[in-house]
Amino acid sequence: MNDRLIAIIVFIGIVGCFCQHKLTAETKDDIIKQGKALFLAKSCALCHQTDDNVPCPAGDALKSPKFIGKFWGTKRKVHIGIGGPVEEVVLDDEYFLESIEKPLAKIVKGSVPGMAPLPTTEEERTAIMAYIKSLSK
């Protein structure tokens, strides 16, 4: 191969990588936006506070977990079932998705078990999770 052909192939590869990265970044932003819209539409915001400046009276009354500050990947104590034994879990993808599908499986210690299973698709749960993850600082 001549040098010019190699340069063209390398250039096309670099442009392709840049375009793929740009597409992935836009898709991630779109999923976060979709997750925020679902978080509001599915009434999650009634109990789970996401902004220090916006009070959440229902969430305060139920002592619902807040999604403010650094929370993703942190440990929390939960009851296994209503009034069950206490275990320590990490707020990660698996725990978060389980909490949407089966909210009474693990209840944050000190919270009132008031969340019902959220009727969502797997895609919607993933979008809500992307939004919540984006809030953790």
Side-chain angles (χ1 to χ4, degrees):
M1 268 192 215
N2 68 30
D3 291 340
R4 189 171 191 188
L5 183 57
I6 292 172
I8 291 170
I9 291 170
V10 169
F11 175 75
I12 290 171
I14 291 170
V15 169
C17 289
F18 175 76
C19 290
Q20 182 61 38
H21 174 73
K22 179 92 169 137
L23 179 63
T24 303
E26 289 172 355
T27 302
K28 183 178 178 185
D29 289 344
D30 290 344
I31 290 171
I32 290 170
K33 286 178 188 173
Q34 178 189 11
K36 182 176 183 178
L38 286 163
F39 187 82
L40 297 171
K42 301 279 185 182
S43 300
C44 307
L46 292 176
C47 298
H48 297 283
Q49 187 175 358
T50 59
D51 184 334
D52 275 328
N53 298 316
V54 180
C56 188
D60 289 343
L62 296 172
K63 298 183 177 136
S64 301
K66 298 178 181 189
F67 301 126
I68 298 171
K70 169 75 171 102
F71 56 86
W72 199 267
T74 61
K75 294 179 182 177
R76 55 182 52 196
K77 292 186 180 189
V78 298
H79 287 279
I80 305 303
I82 297 174
V86 176
E87 289 185 9
E88 195 170 74
V89 298
V90 173
L91 178 51
D92 60 8
D93 293 17
E94 182 181 341
Y95 168 71
F96 185 84
L97 294 171
E98 178 188 45
S99 295
I100 294 175
E101 293 178 61
K102 302 175 202 167
L104 300 179
K106 294 182 179 104
I107 302 157
V108 173
K109 186 177 177 183
S111 294
V112 176
M115 186 170 154
L118 190 59
T120 54
T121 65
E122 184 178 342
E123 185 177 275
E124 289 173 327
R125 290 188 296 273
T126 300
I128 292 169
M129 182 173 63
Y131 167 62
I132 296 303
K133 275 179 151 179
S134 77
L135 299 174
S136 187
K137 309 277 187 253

